[in-house]
C-alpha cells in the first residue's frame, strides 16, 4: 500500500436516542478516520456505543449530528432508500449470528445482495460462486444453512459480505457464536482475505485477544473514543493466547 | 430484483408454512367458490324462468285486472275483469290476433282414490291451450261441445298427472275436484321443470263447467262472471303494440272509464313480463353474489391477519435483506407478491370449487346452474383486489421497518 486514501471520515458525530422522557447519548462527539485497506478493531464494553457507531458506519442508521463521509460520499443526511443504495454498493456485513436465510442454499444466500443491486442472473451466479470459492466452500454451495457447521455458515456470511466488492466490510463479533478453534479459522480467513484483496475491514469485538489480530485497536467507552492504538505486529491467527496482563493495556 | 424472483421467494416462504398457507387460502377459496356457485345458481334460475316465459310464445298478450305499476295504488274503482270483457274483446278485435281466451284460476283439492293434492284449476276454453302452445301427451283437449255443454271433463298438467296417478295413464279415469267427479280426457306435455306457476302442475277444466261446479260464488260479482285473465296472441311482433291499443280502447269503454281516468287493468306483453322477471331475478342474483362476496371479504381479512403475523415473524429476515441493500419498494413487492399468490391461487381453486358446486346442484335437478365467464371474471378480480387491498398494509409495515431494529429483533 503505497498511497493511503481515506475510506472513513467521521467528524464530531453524536447519536441521541429518546427513551421515554430521558435522552440517551449513545455517541457523544466521536472523531474517527480510517484509511483504505486498514483492518481495525473497535472494542468496548456493552453500552460503550460501539454498536451504534457500527450502525452509522454501516449506513444502517444516521447520526443525530456530525459528518460522516464514506469513500468520499457524504452519508449523514440520507433517506432510507439512499442508505440502502449505499449499503448495496459499498458495505458488506458479517454478523455474530450469521443471519443466513434458512430455507435457501449457500449460493442463493450469497447471491441475494447482488439481486438487490440489480445484477443480472448469470453474472450473479458467477460472482457468488467466486465469492464462495474465496472462502473455501466450493463443495458446499448447494447446502442449506442447517446442513453446514457454524464455521461454514459464517464463511457463507463472509462470502455474502464480499460478493458486492464492498469498500468496507463490517464484522460485528463474527467469532462470538463460535468455539475458539472455529473462531481462529474465521480470523485466519479475515486476515487472508485482507492480505489478498486489501479490503478495509472493521471488526467489532469485546475480546482484546481477537482485537490484537488487527492493525489498529480503537477503544470506546460512554460514547467516546478512549484510545486509538496502532498494533505494530498483529497476532497471526492460531497464535497462543497471551496472558490477560499482556493483553490489558491499562 | 424482478417479479419472477419475488415469485420464487414468495413461493418458498409459503411452502415453509404449508398448513398455514393452505388455511389462509381456504378463506379465499370458499369466498370465490361461493360467489361463482351462487351466481351460477342465480343465473341458472333466471335462464330457466326466461326460457319458460319465452316458451309460452313471444307474441302473447295477457290482460290482467288492476293496474300493474310502481308507486302507491291510487285506490278505488273496480279491479276485476269479467267474462263480458272477453266477449267484447273477441267481438271488437278481429284483425292482428290469432286467438283470444279467457281463464279463471282457483286453488282446489284434487283427489284420485286415496291420492290428494292441491292444484291450480284453470277454467278456460280450448283456445287457451292453443295460445299457450300446450300439446296433449296423452288423450286430447275438451272439444267445443263439451265446453258448451258444461261436461265434467278435465286435462291434467304433466306433474299433476304424475302426482295423482304415478306411472299409470289417467285418461278415462275419474278424479274429484273439490268433491265433484270429473273424467280425465288428456295430459299436457311436460313443459319444463323449474320456476313458479308451472304449467306442469295445473288442472284444466272447461270454463262453463268450472263456473257451475267448482269456482262457486267467488267467481261472480253483481251477477257478472269474473275472469282472472284474458290471453291473446298477436299475429306478429310488429302488431303487438297496436293490439294493446285496441284492447285498452275496448276495455276502457267496457269499464266506462272517462278518458282522463287511469286504466283499471293491465295489458302485459311477454317482452314486459320478461323484463320484469329479469329485474327480479337480477336482484336475486346480485343479492346471492353479495352475500358470497362478504365471505370473500372475511377471507381477505384472514390473509391480512396472517401476513401481519408473518411480517413480525420475519422481522430479522427483513432487517437482513435491507442491510444487504434491499430498498423499501423491494420489501413491499416481496410481501405483496406473497399475498397475491395466496389470493390468486385461492381464486383459481375457488373457481374450480364453484364450478364443482354448480355442477352438483345441476345434477340434483332443482336448477340448471350456469357458470358464466363474467361471474368467474368478477370473482377472480375481486379475489385479486382483496389480496391487493389486504396485502398492502402488512407489506407496507414490512417495508417501513428500520433495518437496525429489525436486525436486533429476536
Amino acid at each position: 500500500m503505497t498511497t493511503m486514501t481515506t475510506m472513513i471520515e467521521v467528524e464530531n458525530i453524536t447519536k441521541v436516542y429518546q427513551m421515554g422522557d430521558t435522552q440517551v447519548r449513545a455517541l457523544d462527539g466521536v472523531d474517527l478516520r480510517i484509511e483504505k485497506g486498514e483492518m481495525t478493531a473497535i472494542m468496548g464494553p456493552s453500552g460503550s456505543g460501539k454498536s451504534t457507531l457500527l450502525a452509522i458506519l454501516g449506513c444502517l442508521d444516521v447520526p443525530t449530528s456530525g459528518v460522516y463521509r464514506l469513500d468520499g460520499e457524504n452519508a449523514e443526511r440520507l433517506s432510507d432508500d439512499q442508505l440502502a443504495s449505499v449499503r448495496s454498493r459499498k458495505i458488506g456485513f458479517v454478523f455474530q449470528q450469521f443471519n443466513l436465510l434458512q430455507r435457501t442454499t449457500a449460493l442463493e444466500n450469497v447471491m441475494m445482495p447482488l439481486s438487490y443491486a440489480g445484477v443480472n442472473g448469470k453474472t450473479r451466479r458467477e460472482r457468488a460462486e467466486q465469492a464462495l470459492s474465496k472462502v473455501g466452500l466450493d463443495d458446499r454451495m448447494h447446502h442449506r444453512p442447517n446442513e453446514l457447521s457454524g464455521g461454514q455458515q459464517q464463511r457463507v456470511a463472509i462470502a455474502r459480505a464480499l460478493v458486492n466488492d464492498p469498500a468496507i466490510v463490517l464484522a460485528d463479533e463474527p467469532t462470538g457464536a463460535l468455539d475458539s478453534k472455529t473462531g481462529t479459522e474465521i480470523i485466519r480467513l479475515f486476515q487472508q482475505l485482507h492480505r489478498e484483496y486489501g479490503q478495509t475491514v472493521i471488526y467489532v469485538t469485546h475480546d482484546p485477544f481477537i482485537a490484537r489480530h488487527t492493525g489498529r485497536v480503537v477503544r470506546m467507552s460512554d460514547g467516546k473514543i478512549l484510545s486509538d492504538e496502532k498494533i505494530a505486529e498483529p497476532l497471526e491467527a492460531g497464535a497462543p493466547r497471551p496472558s490477560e496482563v499482556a493483553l490489558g493495556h491499562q | 430484483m424482478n417479479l419472477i424472483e419475488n415469485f420464487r421467494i414468495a413461493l418458498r416462504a409459503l411452502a415453509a408454512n404449508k398448513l398455514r398457507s393452505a388455511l389462509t387460502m381456504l378463506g379465499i377459496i370458499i369466498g370465490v367458490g361461493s360467489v361463482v356457485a351462487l351466481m351460477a345458481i342465480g343465473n341458472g334460475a333466471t335462464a330457466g324462468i326466461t326460457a319458460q316465459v319465452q316458451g309460452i310464445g313471444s307474441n302473447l298478450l295477457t290482460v290482467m285486472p288492476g293496474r300493474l305499476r310502481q308507486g302507491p295504488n291510487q285506490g278505488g274503482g273496480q279491479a276485476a275483469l269479467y267474462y263480458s270483457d272477453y266477449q267484447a274483446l273477441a267481438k271488437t278485435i278481429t284483425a292482428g290476433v290469432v286467438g283470444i281466451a279467457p281463464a279463471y284460476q282457483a286453488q282446489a283439492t284434487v283427489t284420485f282414490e286415496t291420492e290428494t293434492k292441491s292444484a291450480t284449476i284453470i277454467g278456460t276454453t280450448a283456445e287457451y291451450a292453443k295460445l299457450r302452445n300446450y300439446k296433449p301427451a296423452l288423450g286430447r283437449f275438451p272439444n267445443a261441445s263439451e265446453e258448451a255443454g258444461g261436461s265434467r271433463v278435465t286435462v291434467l298438467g304433466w306433474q299433476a298427472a304424475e302426482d295423482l296417478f304415478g306411472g299409470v295413464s289417467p285418461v278415462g279415469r275419474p278424479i274429484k275436484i273439490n268433491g265433484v267427479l270429473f273424467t280425465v280426457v288428456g295430459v299436457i306435455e311436460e313443459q319444463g321443470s323449474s320456476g313458479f306457476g308451472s304449467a306442469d302442475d295445473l288442472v284444466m277444466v272447461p270454463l262453463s263447467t268450472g263456473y257451475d261446479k267448482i269456482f262457486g260464488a267467488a267467481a261472480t260479482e253483481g251477477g257478472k262472471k269474473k275472469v282472472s285473465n284474458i290471453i291473446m296472441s298477436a299475429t306478429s311482433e310488429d302488431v303487438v303494440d297496436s293490439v294493446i291499443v285496441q284492447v285498452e280502447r275496448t276495455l276502457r269503454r267496457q269499464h266506462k272509464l272517462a278518458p282522463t281516468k287511469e286504466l283499471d287493468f293491465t295489458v302485459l306483453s311477454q317482452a314486459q313480463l320478461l323484463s320484469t322477471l329479469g329485474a327480479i331475478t337480477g336482484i336475486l342474483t346480485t343479492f346471492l353474489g353479495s352475500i358470497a362476496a362478504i365471505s370473500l371479504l372475511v377471507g381477505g381479512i384472514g390473509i391480512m391477519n396472517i401476513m401481519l403475523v408473518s411480517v413480525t415473524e420475519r422481522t430479522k429476515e427483513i432487517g437482513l435483506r435491507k442491510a444487504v441493500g434491499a430498498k423499501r419498494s423491494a420489501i413491499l413487492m416481496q410481501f405483496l407478491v406473497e399475498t397475491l399468490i395466496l389470493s390468486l391461487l385461492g381464486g383459481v381453486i375457488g373457481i374450480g370449487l364453484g364450478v364443482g358446486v354448480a355442477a352438483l346442484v345441476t345434477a340434483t335437478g332443482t336448477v340448471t346452474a350456469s357458470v358464466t365467464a363474467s361471474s368467474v371474471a368478477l370473482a377472480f378480480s375481486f379475489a385479486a383486489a382483496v389480496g391487493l387491498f389486504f396485502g398492502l398494509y402488512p407489506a407496507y409495515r414490512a417495508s417501513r421497518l428500520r433495518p437496525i431494529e429489525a436486525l436486533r429483533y429476536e
Side-chain angles (χ1 to χ4, degrees):
Chain A
M1 277 171 278
T2 48
T3 53
M4 282 264 212
T5 47
T6 306
M7 181 56 79
I8 282 173
E9 218 177 336
V10 169
E11 283 167 25
N12 196 24
I13 268 184
T14 64
K15 181 70 186 180
V16 182
Y17 292 111
Q18 192 73 38
M19 304 274 268
D21 289 339
T22 55
Q23 286 195 333
V24 178
R25 279 189 168 268
L27 290 178
D28 191 7
V30 169
D31 292 291
L32 185 65
R33 208 180 161 93
I34 293 176
E35 304 301 324
K36 195 170 184 175
E38 265 194 293
M39 189 163 175
T40 309
I42 298 177
M43 280 190 63
S46 62
S48 61
K50 64 181 194 303
S51 295
T52 307
L53 180 61
L54 190 77
I56 290 170
L57 293 181
C59 290
L60 291 169
D61 210 347
V62 289
T64 309
S65 70
V67 175
Y68 173 33
R69 261 191 298 280
L70 169 64
D71 201 13
E73 208 175 323
N74 276 69
E76 70 276 353
R77 292 279 172 274
L78 298 181
S79 72
D80 279 9
D81 275 356
Q82 287 168 325
L83 286 173
S85 163
V86 173
R87 290 194 296 269
S88 176
R89 287 178 287 116
K90 302 205 163 168
I91 297 164
F93 288 99
V94 179
F95 305 95
Q96 181 174 3
Q97 296 298 337
F98 325 136
N99 283 359
L100 300 176
L101 296 183
Q102 289 306 312
R103 296 182 295 272
T104 53
T105 63
L107 187 66
E108 286 169 311
N109 266 292
V110 176
M111 280 162 68
M112 186 174 68
L114 296 174
S115 64
Y116 289 118
V119 176
N120 76 50
K122 193 161 171 283
T123 320
R124 212 186 290 170
R125 197 180 178 88
E126 284 167 8
R127 281 172 61 181
E129 282 170 358
Q130 283 167 14
L132 280 163
S133 182
K134 278 184 198 172
V135 299
L137 284 178
D138 304 73
D139 55 343
R140 290 283 188 278
M141 288 187 187
H142 301 289
H143 288 60
R144 287 164 196 239
N146 58 10
E147 298 160 346
L148 299 170
S149 71
Q152 286 170 331
Q153 290 190 48
Q154 194 60 300
R155 280 165 190 268
V156 174
I158 292 168
R160 182 180 64 195
L162 294 172
V163 75
N164 262 358
D165 264 327
I168 56 171
V169 173
L170 297 175
D172 188 2
E173 300 274 11
T175 58
L178 302 170
D179 60 63
S180 64
K181 184 167 166 286
T182 321
T184 304
E185 279 171 31
I186 294 299
I187 296 167
R188 180 175 292 133
L189 180 62
F190 268 111
Q191 288 187 327
Q192 177 200 331
L193 290 169
H194 176 246
R195 250 195 302 274
E196 281 178 36
Y197 304 101
Q199 221 97 42
T200 310
V201 179
I202 298 174
Y203 214 105
V204 168
T205 182
H206 65 272
D207 186 345
F209 173 61
I210 288 171
R212 284 296 293 265
H213 290 76
T214 67
R216 178 179 173 190
V217 178
V218 175
R219 285 170 188 269
M220 290 191 70
S221 178
D222 294 329
K224 292 189 167 96
I225 291 181
L226 210 64
S227 71
D228 188 345
E229 178 193 4
K230 292 271 183 209
I231 307 286
E233 280 179 48
L235 290 173
E236 277 299 317
R241 193 181 175 98
S243 70
E244 292 303 318
V245 181
L247 288 171
H249 292 277
Q250 287 92 355
Chain B
M1 184 63 61
N2 58 33
L3 206 62
I4 296 168
E5 258 171 273
N6 270 318
F7 195 75
R8 258 212 321 259
I9 293 171
L11 280 185
R12 193 175 278 147
L14 294 174
N17 273 309
K18 288 195 188 64
L19 181 63
R20 185 205 278 183
S21 304
L23 288 175
T24 310
M25 224 188 287
L26 197 59
I28 295 292
I29 292 172
I30 292 173
V32 170
S34 50
V35 168
V36 170
L38 288 180
M39 286 185 68
I41 291 167
N43 285 330
T46 307
I49 291 165
T50 309
Q52 209 166 25
V53 170
Q54 277 168 338
I56 294 166
S58 57
N59 299 332
L60 200 73
L61 293 173
T62 308
V63 187
M64 298 190 305
R67 195 78 199 132
L68 193 71
R69 53 163 166 70
Q70 287 172 322
N73 205 325
Q74 289 173 340
Q78 68 186 143
L81 284 175
Y82 300 98
Y83 190 74
S84 54
D85 292 334
Y86 155 71
Q87 287 173 311
L89 286 174
K91 209 170 82 186
T92 5
I93 305 173
T94 46
V97 294
V98 178
I100 173 164
Y104 186 90
Q105 295 185 8
Q107 286 299 119
T109 311
V110 186
T111 318
F112 171 69
E113 292 176 353
T114 55
E115 293 294 328
T116 297
K117 71 171 274 149
S118 175
T120 305
I121 312 295
I122 297 187
T124 188
T125 61
E127 195 82 2
Y128 185 88
K130 213 160 68 192
L131 294 175
R132 286 270 179 192
N133 227 350
Y134 295 160
K135 293 192 174 60
L138 294 166
R140 56 175 180 85
F141 286 106
N143 58 37
S145 72
E146 282 166 335
E147 271 173 22
S151 300
R152 286 175 295 173
V153 289
T154 180
V155 176
L156 302 181
W158 183 85
Q159 189 64 48
E162 187 72 25
D163 289 349
L164 288 171
F165 292 91
V168 187
S169 167
V171 177
R173 289 177 191 269
I175 59 167
K176 280 181 178 170
I177 302 173
N178 278 359
V180 181
L181 207 60
F182 277 75
T183 305
V184 180
V185 294
V187 176
I188 305 168
E189 247 181 19
E190 189 174 359
Q191 299 292 309
S193 55
S194 64
F196 33 85
S198 168
D200 288 330
D201 210 24
L202 55 75
V203 173
M204 271 172 70
V205 298
L207 186 58
S208 56
T209 320
Y211 283 135
D212 284 352
K213 312 285 186 197
I214 303 168
F215 303 141
T220 55
E221 192 179 275
K224 286 163 77 181
K225 287 179 181 132
K226 288 203 284 190
V227 293
S228 304
N229 54 62
I230 300 165
I231 63 167
M232 62 195 81
S233 184
T235 48
S236 78
E237 232 177 290
D238 305 331
V239 300
V240 164
D241 286 340
S242 79
V243 171
I244 291 176
V245 170
Q246 286 184 68
V247 170
E248 286 179 351
R249 194 184 300 143
T250 310
L251 287 187
R252 187 180 278 282
R253 204 180 311 129
Q254 265 307 107
H255 290 183
K256 301 187 173 64
L257 296 171
T260 51
K261 242 182 136 192
E262 210 183 346
L263 297 174
D264 60 357
F265 59 90
T266 306
V267 187
L268 208 63
S269 69
Q270 286 309 97
Q272 283 171 296
L273 193 61
L274 271 179
S275 76
T276 308
L277 282 176
I280 294 168
T281 54
I283 289 168
L284 188 77
T285 306
T286 312
F287 180 67
L288 288 176
S290 319
I291 289 175
I294 291 170
S295 71
L296 195 49
L297 207 65
V298 174
I301 294 170
I303 286 195
M304 177 144 142
N305 195 5
I306 285 302
M307 288 312 291
L308 284 173
V309 172
S310 176
V311 167
T312 308
E313 271 183 2
R314 284 148 71 191
T315 299
K316 204 155 186 174
E317 176 194 326
I318 296 163
L320 173 74
R321 288 184 182 276
K322 289 195 142 192
V324 302
K327 293 204 166 83
R328 279 181 183 173
S329 55
I331 301 293
L332 187 87
M333 274 309 283
Q334 184 191 335
F335 281 90
L336 209 52
V337 165
E338 214 170 288
T339 332
L340 279 176
I341 288 177
L342 278 178
S343 59
L344 293 185
L345 196 59
V348 169
I349 299 173
I351 288 168
L353 179 78
V355 171
V357 169
L360 211 66
V361 168
T362 306
T364 63
T366 33
V367 177
T368 308
S370 69
V371 178
T372 61
S374 66
S375 72
V376 167
L378 184 79
F380 192 72
S381 42
F382 201 50
V386 160
L388 202 64
F389 181 76
F390 288 106
L392 213 49
Y393 178 65
Y396 175 78
R397 281 249 298 234
S399 76
R400 300 288 293 196
L401 284 177
R402 289 164 45 79
I404 185 73
E405 281 153 24
L407 275 170
R408 281 186 201 139
Y409 183 86
E410 288 302 331

